[in-house]
C-alpha cells in the first residue's frame, strides 16, 4: 500500500533526513587511508546517538539475508555495489567507497548514500561517481506531481546508459516513511509514462547504482549481503530521500 504523507509528516521526515545527512558528512570527513570500515560505522553510530535516533539498518533482515545486518552503515568498496558489511578492512589509497546510511527519528525514516574516493582518485572513478550524481539529479527532477514512477526510472537509466555504465537489474529505490522500505519500488531503468502516478505527499528514496564496466551482472558475496560486480569493475551508489510536493521535489536528506 502506498501512503501519502501530510506536510507535517514530511517536515518530521526532514528532521530524520538531516540526521542521515550529518552522519554521512561525518563519515566522509573521517574516511582516509588506513581508517577501517568498522571505525566509519562507529562515527555514524555516534551521530545517531547524539541525535537520539536509531538505525533502520541495524538488525534488519529481509528475506534474502542469511543474518541480520550488523551495522548502521553499508560500506561498499570498489567492486561492491551495495550492502557491504563494515569490517576491519582498512581503506587504501584510491579506494572507491559507497556509504549508505539511514535513521529513525520521531517515528519516521530517512535514507541516503554517497560515493567518494579515498586518497588519489582514478579519473575513471571520478567520472563514474559524477555520472551517478547526475543520474540522481535527473531522477529528482522527474519526481514531480503529474509524472509517474516510470519517468523517474527513465531519467536515471538514460543518464547511466548514455555514459556506457551498467545498471544492476532488480535493485533501485523505494517508498519510505514510517518504515525504511515501503511501496512503491523505484527502478533505476524503465519506460516513461508508466507506473504509479506521482502525487503530493509521496516520499521516495531515489538511488542510482552504476557499474563501471558497462555490464549489469552482479552476485552476492559469501556474507550473503554484499553485492559485487560480476566483471570486477567498480561501482557507485548515491541516494536521497525526496518528497513529491505541489511545489516541486523536496530533498529531505540534503547535506
Amino acid at each position: 500500500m502506498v501512503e501519502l504523507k501530510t506536510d507535517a509528516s514530511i517536515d518530521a521526515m526532514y528532521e530524520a533526513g538531516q540526521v542521515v545527512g550529518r552522519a554521512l558528512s561525518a563519515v566522509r570527513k573521517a574516511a582516509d587511508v588506513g581508517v577501517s570500515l568498522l571505525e566509519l560505522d562507529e562515527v555514524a553510530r555516534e551521530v545517531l546517538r547524539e541525535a537520539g535516533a536509531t538505525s533502520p539498518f541495524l538488525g534488519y533482515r529481509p528475506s534474502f539475508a542469511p543474518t541480520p545486518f550488523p551495522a548502521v552503515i553499508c560500506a561498499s568498496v570498489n567492486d561492491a555495489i551495495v550492502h557491504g558489511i563494515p569490517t576491519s578492512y582498512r581503506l587504501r589509497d584510491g579506494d572507491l567507497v559507497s556509504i549508505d546510511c539511514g535513521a529513525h527519528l520521531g517515528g519516521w525514516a530517512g535514507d541516503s548514500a554517497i560515493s567518494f574516493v579515498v586518497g588519489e582518485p582514478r579519473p575513471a572513478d571520478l567520472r563514474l561517481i559524477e555520472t551517478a550524481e547526475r543520474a540522481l539529479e535527473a531522477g529528482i527532477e522527474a519526481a514531480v506531481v503529474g509524472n509517474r514512477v516510470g519517468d523517474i526510472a527513465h531519467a536515471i537509466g538514460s543518464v547511466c546508459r548514455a555514459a556506457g555504465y551498467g545498471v544492476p537489474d532488480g535493485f533501485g529505490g523505494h517508498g519510505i516513511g514510517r518504515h525504511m522500505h515501503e511501496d512503491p519500488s523505484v527502478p533505476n531503468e524503465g519506460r516513461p509514462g508508466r507506473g504509479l502516478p506521482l502525487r503530493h505527499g509521496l516520499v521516495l528514496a531515489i538511488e542510482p547504482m552504476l557499474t563501471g564496466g558497462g555490464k549489469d551482472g552482479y552476485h552476492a558475496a559469501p556474507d550473503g549481503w554484499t553485492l559485487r560486480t560480476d566483471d570486477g569493475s567498480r561501482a557507485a551508489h548515491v541516494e536521497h530521500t525526496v518528497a513529491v510536493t505541489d511545489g516541486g521535489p523536496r530533498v529531505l536528506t540534503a547535506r
Side-chain angles (χ1 to χ4, degrees), residues 124-161:
D125 289 343
L126 295 181
R127 289 195 298 271
L128 179 64
I129 294 169
E130 186 271 337
T131 304
E133 291 172 344
R134 283 196 295 110
L136 177 58
E137 291 171 2
I140 293 171
E141 289 175 359
V144 296
V145 173
N147 272 358
R148 292 176 177 265
V149 166
D151 294 302
I152 298 175
H154 178 72
I156 293 170
S158 296
V159 171
C160 300
R161 294 301 189 187

Side-chain angles (χ1 to χ4, degrees), residues 69-187:
F69 197 77
V72 304
I73 62 170
C74 295
S76 306
V77 181
N78 296 332
D79 66 328
I81 306 168
V82 286
H83 302 163
I85 295 176
T87 66
S88 59
Y89 175 84
R90 295 191 176 276
L91 294 171
R92 301 171 183 173
D93 187 47
D95 277 347
L96 195 167
V97 184
S98 297
I99 302 292
D100 194 355
C101 185
H104 267 133
L105 183 70
W108 296 99
D111 190 9
S112 186
I114 57 174
S115 287
F116 55 88
V117 177
V118 173
E120 186 67 26
R122 303 179 185 181
D125 289 343
L126 295 181
R127 289 195 298 271
L128 179 64
I129 294 169
E130 186 271 337
T131 304
E133 291 172 344
R134 283 196 295 110
L136 177 58
E137 291 171 2
I140 293 171
E141 289 175 359
V144 296
V145 173
N147 272 358
R148 292 176 177 265
V149 166
D151 294 302
I152 298 175
H154 178 72
I156 293 170
S158 296
V159 171
C160 300
R161 294 301 189 187
Y165 296 124
V167 180
D169 184 44
F171 284 86
H174 49 87
I176 184 170
R178 292 284 184 186
H179 304 283
M180 179 172 60
H181 289 140
E182 297 183 354
D183 291 333
S185 63
V186 185

Side-chain angles (χ1 to χ4, degrees), residues 9 21 29 49 61 77 88 95-96 144 150 196-197 204 238 246:
S9 296
K29 184 177 180 180
R49 280 194 291 264
R61 188 177 184 182
V77 181
S88 59
D95 277 347
L96 195 167
V144 296
L196 182 78
L204 305 170
V238 293
D246 289 330

